[in-house]
Amino acid sequence: MSVIERSTAEALPGSTPDRAAVGRRPAQHRTRSPRRWPGLALVGCGVAVLAWAFVLCHALPSTAPVVHWSAAWTGLDVMEALGFVTTGILAARGDLRRALPAAATSTLLLVDSWFDLVTAGTGSGFAVALAMACCAELPLAVVCAVVAWRTFRVPTSRSA
């Protein structure tokens, strides 16, 4: 029985659809099951990266000369600045796309604070990195994460 015949048979009073159609939703109401392979592939990538991180933890030297040290940190700060400006412009316009740069900026700020702390020396260098993380980078990361979260949060109605 075709889709048209089945839907016609279900719509007519006193008619009975064929046995194959019993218990199934009409074709126009069926939904495709989501493709699982992209999610499973990403989980596999995550497991592979964790394994690679374990290898790196034991294989890398504790110190290394870095040729482009200033470019790395400057580039990170420029990306954060672009994230702030983009998020701010989109938020000022009421554009829901602000969630994307807000989430990215939050992530960049977390990465920045992490690398500031783990690359800082002892003493005053570490104290400055800790102060920057606690007083600037982490609070701003939370603000950006809240902007991203609230953009797509569905308000719930509260009944008494």
Side-chain angles (χ1 to χ4, degrees), residues 45-115:
C45 289
V47 170
V49 169
L50 286 175
W52 180 244
F54 180 78
V55 169
L56 288 179
C57 181
H58 295 290
L60 289 176
S62 59
T63 61
V66 180
V67 178
H68 302 290
W69 185 256
S70 61
W73 286 109
T74 304
L76 181 59
D77 289 341
V78 167
M79 286 187 278
E80 290 170 2
L82 290 172
F84 284 131
V85 170
T86 304
T87 302
I89 289 170
L90 293 173
R93 292 180 180 172
D95 193 326
L96 294 178
R97 291 177 292 176
R98 67 183 175 263
L100 301 172
T105 305
S106 178
T107 303
L108 287 170
L109 288 163
L110 292 173
V111 168
D112 191 352
S113 64
W114 170 259
F115 281 105

